[in-house]
Amino acid sequence: MTYKIFWICLASLVLSACQTTSKLEQSDTSNESIEATEDTDILEADTEQLGFIDTVPPVDSVEEEQVVEQDEPAIAAKPKAPTDIWDRVRAGYGLDLDIDRPRLSSQLRWFSSHPSYLDRVSKRGERYLYYIVEELEKAGIPTEIALLPIVESGFDPFGYSHGRASGPWQFIPSTGQMYGLDQTWWYDGRRDIIGSTQAAIAYLTRLHKMFDGNWLHALASYNSGEGTVSRAIRKNKKAGKPTDFWSLDLPKETRAYVPKLIALAKIIKNPEKYNYSTYFIPNKPYFDIVNIGGQLDLAQAADMAEISIDEVYLLNPGFNQWATSPDGPHRLLMPISKAKLFRTKLAEIPSKERVTWVRYTVKAGDNLLLVAKQHNTTVNVLQNVNKISSTMIRVGQELMIPVAGNDIESYTLSSHQRLLAKQSRAPNRNRIKINYTVNSGDSLWLISNKYGIDSKTLARWNNMGLGDPLMPGKKLVVWLEPKASEKSTRSVMKKVVYTIRSGESLAVVANKFKVSINDIRDWNPKVSSQKYVQPGDKVTLLVNVVGG
């Protein structure tokens, strides 16, 4: 009996120990699960904080690396990503480059004989190329299209054509609006790197589908419009001719446009064949996208990120003025090495200190438009800031006005400062600069005809398109050169500012400096509008100092 009781007690103890062990194992497993969950949350929080361009190792991949045992068969390593972005571009080629056409040969000769140009546009594109290639790959578009901004704008984000096309992808106003690229006084989405790239991808994808997967037709349409290409195709079909790109009757510019892209693609694919060495661009992100949440002075942004104001504009060329647009987009691109610093400092600044404010008291004769112009802002901004529903203001009323925190000249790549710089660059030596104020009824054709120059040239001097409106009061520059009859083999032309003396007339001045009265009037539009010159009036003259 005693033995039976002993064995029953022993069995009970064994069963109790087993149950305790099971509970401990379950408790340990539960703890491991909690730790894994906490690690995952930390990683997700880091990704959210740093932005989508920052790369954080996924939890799964870290665990796999930890559990692999040495005695297991080796797993084939993934191929390393190329270090040079051009290698990545080549890997994604999708166009037929095995083409030999005279139009293509001429473009190949030009590009291969101008390696400095290829280097220059590559340096310009270094800020943007990684993002463009990344987005093209996501959209399944051949990466040769990453070279299209070279054909369009030479990778100049501020590029502007006589046809009113703007930005790296050269959108005209109507097409830009069609693809959601806003164009306001504050902001032009056609120059925005993110917005314009997404719009170009959407447009090219639609054209590619419209032309049944023919990329050359799609590219030609991107240049001259789908209607132009469609009509050319129908014309050839009707005449029983081939309808490939090379056989179509297209505008001269379009006939050269596609060969330019193919020539660039061939050179990048095999640079040694064309005695060229590509400019190295790292295959890694150049910028990060920072949500700023509202309007911000661009000079202040540059200070916070510890970069130059020019770098801010080059990464964010869509912003026209001294600050981001009050209506958005509320984002800034920042060099990836500076993004964390910028985010930290941005979080420390109160929203009211993101732009500088002045308190203005309305005076007699003021109106909202005049006040806006004086402070380099817009009527809409003044209305929104001051909760004004109409344009009526009263004497003594106080307005809060956002203004540039630094001298306006320091915003060197703002729209206004770029225009001034453009107008100050003489096309060549021995030219005299004429400042012209647009009058009511003026047009580019009338003004250019008056001075005997080409309308396109006048538009280029003033960074305009031929279709841009001319508002009275707008300042233009005209660069004039001496007439052919006044040129000699021995001539050094100098600009002279002469002050009219008592008793002198334009005829006297013309005789003294051996120029014609008409030339003096052309060089000095303000003086030509006067019936008589007065002592103290200043006239600008272009004088041959060698010829006497």
Side-chain angles (χ1 to χ4, degrees), residues 58 116 453 493 516 530:
S116 60
I453 56 177
M493 309 304 293
S516 71
Q530 302 173 7

Side-chain angles (χ1 to χ4, degrees), residues 298-320:
L298 293 176
Q300 192 175 15
D303 290 340
M304 287 190 291
E306 297 180 0
I307 58 177
S308 70
I309 186 68
D310 283 0
E311 180 69 7
V312 173
Y313 275 111
L314 286 167
L315 282 174
N316 303 275
F319 295 118
N320 292 327

Side-chain angles (χ1 to χ4, degrees), residues 12 16 18 93 122 132 149 195 209 225 231 270 275 371 390 459 488 515:
S12 299
S16 176
C18 290
Y93 272 16
S122 297
I132 291 172
K209 185 177 180 180
R231 285 191 294 272
N270 191 1
N275 298 314
V371 174
S390 69
S488 67
V515 295

Side-chain angles (χ1 to χ4, degrees), residues 415-425 433:
S415 179
H416 181 64
Q417 295 303 316
R418 290 199 318 273
L419 175 60
L420 292 180
K422 179 79 171 180
Q423 291 179 329
S424 299
R425 288 194 293 269
K433 180 181 177 181

Side-chain angles (χ1 to χ4, degrees), residues 226-248:
E226 52 264 45
T228 300
V229 177
S230 295
R231 285 191 294 272
I233 291 173
R234 287 196 300 268
K235 180 181 175 181
N236 275 25
K237 280 183 178 179
K238 190 175 180 179
K241 296 179 180 179
T243 58
D244 61 284
F245 164 79
W246 306 98
S247 303
L248 297 180

Side-chain angles (χ1 to χ4, degrees), residues 169-189:
W169 295 93
Q170 290 288 282
F171 277 96
I172 60 174
S174 58
T175 309
Q177 290 169 355
M178 187 186 306
Y179 285 90
L181 302 178
D182 294 335
Q183 297 148 56
T184 67
W185 184 79
W186 285 100
Y187 169 79
D188 190 337

